[in-house]
Amino acid sequence: MATANLIENRTFDEIAVGDTASLTRTLTADDIQLFAAVSGDVNPAHLDPVYAETDMFHRVIAHGMWGAGLISAILGTELPGPGAIYLGQSLRFTRPVGVGDTITACVTVAQKRAEHHVIVLDCACVNQKGETVISGQAEVKAPTEKVSRPRMPLPDVRIASHDRFRQLMERAKDGSACVTAVVHPCSADAMRAVAEAADAGIVVPILIGPAARMTNAAKDAGVDIAAFRVIGVPHSHAAAAEAVARVRAGEAALLMKGSLHTDELMGAVVSSDMGLRTERRISHAYVMDVPGYPRPLIITDAAINIEPTLEDKADIARNAIDLAHVIGIEQPRVAILAAVETVNPRMRTTLDAAALCKMADRGQIEGALLDGPLALDNAISEAAVRDKSIVSPVAGRADILLVPNLEAGNMLAKQLTFLGGADAAGVVLGGRVPIILTSRADSVRTRLASCALAVLLARAATKASPGVAGQRRDG
């Protein structure tokens, strides 16, 4: 007899007509996502709630073979179990299975054939109401040798649907495309990023750089730039200066990095005479879509400010709070990170955190809840907060992680991306216009999400007047 820790089969000689086995599972939304990922079946009846509302069942339903998979699981693990060879299966699907339905699959031995040790089993899947959703028959070659093995644990699988970035794109598309000065797009990767955003209908590019190099980059990328405005300049330094000038003149509402170095672009942006600085410190923020984390996570600053002062951190916080408001977080929770959650006079980061919290108490930083210092686990894990008995409206539920310095922020963002499967959309804040920084390592989804963020910020800040901040695209 099999135990919870063992998986044991039944041989042909041990099986009798009338023997039965069953298992019960409750369908979750993750089950549907996982089945779609494994099978490649992205029928909107299973994955698109809006479409499913218009379909005959008026709700998202499981793939039919999800229920059939329960029958297969019984045959492979219970009756007959390990060593069985599936020969055939008939199925009839009589009712849909939706999220929350509890399905009991049952197989019953109907026939035994001594030749080739074949057994035939009646199969049925029944929902929590006692209604049959699947019926049929299976034909299996039963094992003749006993097998008893340790039961292998199910894999720990996390779903990364990146729906948050899809929602950003939908919001960005619901409005005017923003005229965008693209600085030195002289590589195939940079040109593809521009074309993707233009094709998505969220930006209208002005390409600024050496004309011949941009033309060659477009050919390498397979991109037609005939419809784009092109401004030729001799080199990348001139492209950065020209793009900033076009923004200052009101010809563009966004700035987008092409294939020049970030420092060169930002040098033109922060120029004391003709740059795009405001009274705010310029900072960078990633909006992270992290599998398993229940909300968008903003990390700042991971790209611009190397060792920010207390005053810098106050502006970095203000910029991130404004971003959070734009993406729909009404009162973001800001966790000011350190290595510990207590103030230590020998650790400047903890003193800065305490001062920032007091500034928020006095109304110097508005629109959010701030708390710190908090270690990373205490910022994002409610279990860690309970274990350490931390009382805080922010701890365990942070929307914004304000990091101590650029190195910490950069490593945290890249760790989440490359080890945690997160997507990171980045934007530079605090200037006259949002600035889009993309990387060659970014996926199409991430590049488009970065553009969408910048578009939403531009609209929120300027109310996008036609022809300057935005332009309606047709077709």
Side-chain angles (χ1 to χ4, degrees):
M1 177 66 68
T3 69
N5 296 322
L6 289 176
I7 182 168
E8 189 172 285
N9 67 1
R10 299 190 217 178
T11 65
F12 181 81
D13 291 338
E14 292 175 329
I15 294 170
V17 173
D19 284 354
T20 186
S22 65
L23 65 79
T24 300
R25 294 286 186 274
T26 298
L27 178 72
T28 68
D30 282 356
D31 292 332
I32 296 176
Q33 296 281 336
L34 284 168
F35 196 95
V38 171
S39 67
D41 184 351
V42 293
N43 183 336
H46 310 308
L47 300 176
D48 186 343
V50 176
Y51 171 84
E53 282 289 335
T54 68
D55 204 13
M56 64 182 297
F57 300 115
H58 306 295
R59 59 173 176 155
V60 167
I61 60 171
H63 304 76
M65 297 307 291
W66 176 84
L70 301 182
I71 295 171
S72 178
I74 300 174
L75 299 177
T77 63
E78 299 291 338
L79 180 62
I85 299 174
Y86 224 143
L87 299 177
Q89 178 78 63
S90 67
L91 293 170
R92 182 174 178 81
F93 300 93
T94 53
R95 282 183 173 82
V97 176
V99 173
D101 284 347
T102 298
I103 304 301
T104 298
C106 181
V107 302
T108 303
V109 178
Q111 300 177 38
K112 289 183 66 178
R113 301 175 190 159
E115 185 179 9
H116 303 304
H117 306 108
V118 171
I119 62 172
V120 178
L121 303 101
D122 291 329
C123 309
C125 292
V126 178
N127 65 19
Q128 67 275 14
K129 299 177 183 177
E131 301 167 330
T132 299
V133 297
I134 301 175
S135 62
Q137 270 198 338
E139 189 173 313
V140 178
K141 184 174 181 178
T144 57
E145 296 183 359
K146 198 68 178 172
V147 176
S148 182
R149 301 286 298 170
R151 185 177 292 270
M152 302 303 293
L154 289 171
D156 182 14
V157 179
R158 294 185 180 183
I159 301 294
S161 64
H162 300 294
D163 262 3
R164 298 182 186 113
F165 281 8
R166 181 180 58 80
Q167 292 162 9
L168 280 178
M169 282 299 302
E170 289 174 354
R171 285 185 58 197
K173 288 179 179 179
D174 187 21
S176 298
C178 282
V179 179
T180 303
V182 186
V183 186
H184 202 257
C186 294
S187 70
D189 285 325
M191 198 60 77
R192 272 191 289 268
V194 175
E196 289 157 2
D199 290 345
I202 60 176
V203 306
V204 178
I206 303 174
L207 307 182
I208 304 173
R213 291 186 63 188
M214 291 191 294
T215 298
N216 290 335
K219 288 179 181 177
D220 291 343
V223 170
D224 183 3
I225 60 172
F228 300 161
R229 183 181 174 190
V230 176
I231 298 175
V233 296
H235 44 66
S236 58
H237 184 75
E242 182 67 22
V244 167
R246 297 286 172 169
V247 170
R248 287 177 62 92
E251 295 180 33
L254 296 177
L255 204 58
M256 183 174 182
K257 175 179 173 283
S259 52
L260 77 172
H261 197 278
T262 299
D263 287 348
E264 191 172 7
L265 173 60
M266 294 310 299
V269 169
V270 301
S271 168
S272 58
D273 296 327
M274 298 299 291
L276 301 176
R277 300 181 77 166
T278 67
E279 71 281 359
R280 285 271 184 94
R281 180 77 179 181
I282 288 177
S283 62
H284 178 274
Y286 280 120
V287 176
M288 310 288 297
D289 188 359
V290 183
Y293 198 67
R295 57 187 65 85
L297 189 62
I298 297 172
I299 296 177
T300 189
D301 179 343
I304 301 295
N305 294 283
I306 298 173
E307 287 288 347
T309 65
L310 173 61
E311 187 177 10
D312 295 338
K313 288 178 181 178
D315 271 349
I316 291 169
R318 295 180 184 109
N319 289 340
I321 291 165
D322 288 346
L323 172 60
H325 292 163
V326 166
I327 65 173
I329 306 172
E330 292 184 7
Q331 191 177 42
R333 293 178 285 265
V334 182
I336 307 160
L337 295 187
V340 295
E341 64 275 3
T342 55
V343 176
N344 184 331
R346 291 176 293 178
M347 299 176 68
R348 183 176 69 86
T349 297
T350 69
L351 296 175
D352 285 352
L356 290 167
C357 292
K358 181 53 67 176
M359 290 172 73
D361 290 343
R362 298 286 174 85
Q364 293 172 264
I365 301 174
E366 298 180 316
L369 297 173
L370 276 69
D371 196 12
L374 289 170
L376 178 62
D377 56 341
N378 305 325
I380 61 174
S381 169
E382 293 190 62
V385 170
R386 288 193 297 271
D387 289 343
K388 294 191 176 182
S389 302
I390 297 172
V391 178
S392 163
V394 173
R397 300 181 294 157
D399 302 297
I400 298 170
L401 301 179
L402 200 161
V403 299
N405 54 38
L406 184 147
E407 287 181 319
N410 191 274
M411 285 187 279
L412 174 58
K414 287 181 177 176
Q415 181 183 40
L416 289 173
T417 300
F418 291 100
L419 294 178
D423 268 359
V427 64
V428 175
L429 310 162
R432 291 194 183 190
V433 299
I435 302 168
I436 304 161
L437 296 184
T438 56
S439 165
R440 285 175 296 178
D442 289 343
S443 66
V444 172
R445 178 175 59 243
T446 296
R447 290 197 292 254
L448 290 177
S450 297
C451 293
L453 275 180
V455 167
L456 295 175
L457 284 161
R459 289 179 189 158
T462 66
K463 306 302 181 183
S465 58
V468 178
Q471 175 177 312
R472 175 69 65 182
R473 287 174 63 87
D474 299 320

